[in-house]
Amino acid sequence: MEYQILKHEINEGIALVTVSRPQALNALNTLFFKEMDHLLAALTQNDAVRVMVLTGEGKAFVAGADIAEMVNKTVMEGSGFSRMGQNTFRSIEKAPFPVIAAINGFALGGGLELAMACDFRIASSKAKLGQPEVNLGLIPGFAGTQRLPRLVGMANALFLLTTAEIIGADEALRIGLVQKLTEPEQLIEEAMRLAKSIASKGPKAIQLIKFTVRKGLGMDFEAGNDLEAMHFGSLFGAKSEGEEGMKAFLEKRPPVW
Ligand code: CO8
């Protein structure tokens, strides 16, 4: 597939994906979702990919769903657009590698929803985040009503969703919406540093961490413990990743995964 909106490069196990439609502040249209579905399928099938970093080109990460595309939609089309976005964002959550959002600027509406579907977020100190849908007489449609309260708690979520207030990076860090801040010019460098660090760990362990945490959140505590014990056990045994990691520690050498 020829990509018109998504740029990507893969180096040393890290896929750097850039949303590149800066003339519309990277607003999410149907073509974006088609391209992201296609790219995610390809990256998911590529064993070399250990971590994905997602960012935006220009002054926005993503300034929302494409308002010009949405304005004339019918009820059915509106629901369909919402479903399409929800499905793509679920695929990000389900990807077998961690996905880091590197928020370089505006992350508004569907753009913040996209960042929230990633496993964690680092932001430029100049980033601006918010869910301004109610200004347009809308609500989030790409699972923002579901992910935001899970990430920052119900009251913080309802505050952002009902006031449409755009918050700065410091405030986003304070409420736990982003995990780390950097100077704007260091954002990608820092995202790549974190990605490389993750890519150097036991690959199966990283995959199982993501799966166990995400799956476990939807389970009761006992069932989550069962899942953890099963996955913990799967890392043991002859020639396993766990055996190599523990032997390497005891032999004072780097592990060979
Ligand atoms: N959609 C389409 N075009 C956009 C969007 C957008 N979300 N955001 C910006 N643009 C366009 C502008 O129209 C403008 O285009 P043009 O140059 O042709 O006039 C260009 O990008 C540059 O934008 P501005 O001139 O406005 O740039 P400023 O720096 O002055 O302002 C802002 C930046 C504050 C980010 C401003 O652009 C803005 O407020 N954008 C809209 C933000 C917004 O409301 N986002 C939420 C959209 S709704 C949404 O995301 C719902 C998600 C769920 C959908 C569910 C499906 C049913």
Side-chain angles (χ1 to χ4, degrees):
M1 182 180 190
E2 279 277 312
Y3 296 104
Q4 291 172 44
I5 296 177
L6 293 181
K7 293 182 179 165
H8 74 283
E9 54 191 73
I10 302 173
N11 285 311
E12 297 175 47
I14 322 289
L16 174 62
V17 178
T18 306
V19 187
S20 180
R21 199 187 165 217
Q23 69 282 11
L25 302 190
N26 302 327
L28 306 178
N29 58 9
T30 299
L31 183 60
F32 164 85
F33 290 108
K34 287 198 173 129
E35 291 190 10
M36 186 56 101
D37 287 347
H38 191 273
L39 182 58
L40 278 172
L43 296 178
T44 297
Q45 283 164 40
N46 184 344
D47 280 347
V49 176
R50 299 278 180 85
V51 185
M52 173 173 147
V53 173
L54 179 62
T55 193
E57 187 167 323
K59 70 177 178 183
F61 174 72
V62 165
D66 189 330
I67 299 169
E69 182 179 328
M70 287 192 299
V71 64
N72 289 320
K73 286 199 187 303
T74 62
V75 170
M76 291 298 282
E77 288 166 348
S79 273
F81 193 55
S82 168
R83 281 281 174 214
M84 181 174 63
Q86 288 174 348
N87 289 339
T88 302
F89 290 7
R90 274 299 278 154
S91 302
I92 294 174
E93 275 183 343
K94 287 181 167 178
F97 40 74
V99 182
I100 304 171
I103 303 177
N104 50 302
F106 293 111
L108 303 178
L112 182 52
E113 293 176 288
L114 173 62
M116 289 193 292
C118 299
D119 293 299
F120 61 85
R121 287 147 289 287
I122 68 170
S124 144
S125 55
K126 297 228 169 93
K128 301 270 179 223
L129 304 89
Q131 297 284 170
E133 284 88 346
V134 290
N135 289 336
L136 305 169
L138 297 174
I139 67 170
F142 302 146
T145 59
Q146 303 307 301
R147 288 198 181 92
L148 189 58
R150 283 169 170 79
L151 288 174
V152 300
M154 190 173 68
N156 282 325
L158 285 171
F159 173 82
L160 289 171
L161 290 163
T162 58
T163 63
E165 205 161 280
I166 307 299
I167 58 172
D170 285 342
E171 178 64 359
L173 183 69
R174 190 189 68 79
I175 64 173
L177 187 52
V178 304
Q179 282 56 63
K180 197 165 185 168
L181 301 189
T182 72
E183 290 306 311
E185 51 285 356
Q186 266 130 43
L187 179 70
I188 296 303
E189 195 183 311
E190 179 61 8
M192 296 306 275
R193 188 189 69 75
L194 292 169
K196 277 184 192 150
S197 164
I198 294 169
S200 73
K201 317 292 184 204
K204 186 89 188 149
I206 292 292
Q207 216 177 69
L208 287 178
I209 287 277
K210 174 165 175 171
F211 183 79
T212 312
V213 168
R214 287 205 171 275
K215 195 84 183 163
L217 267 178
M219 293 173 142
D220 69 63
F221 191 73
E222 284 306 324
N225 277 354
D226 293 345
L227 187 70
E228 182 185 89
M230 192 175 75
H231 287 154
F232 184 76
S234 77
L235 292 164
F236 284 75
K239 300 201 187 312
S240 66
E241 190 174 290
E243 183 194 47
E244 168 59 12
M246 290 186 285
K247 272 190 176 162
F249 174 82
L250 295 171
E251 292 164 10
K252 302 187 190 307
R253 61 170 175 81
V256 182
W257 306 119

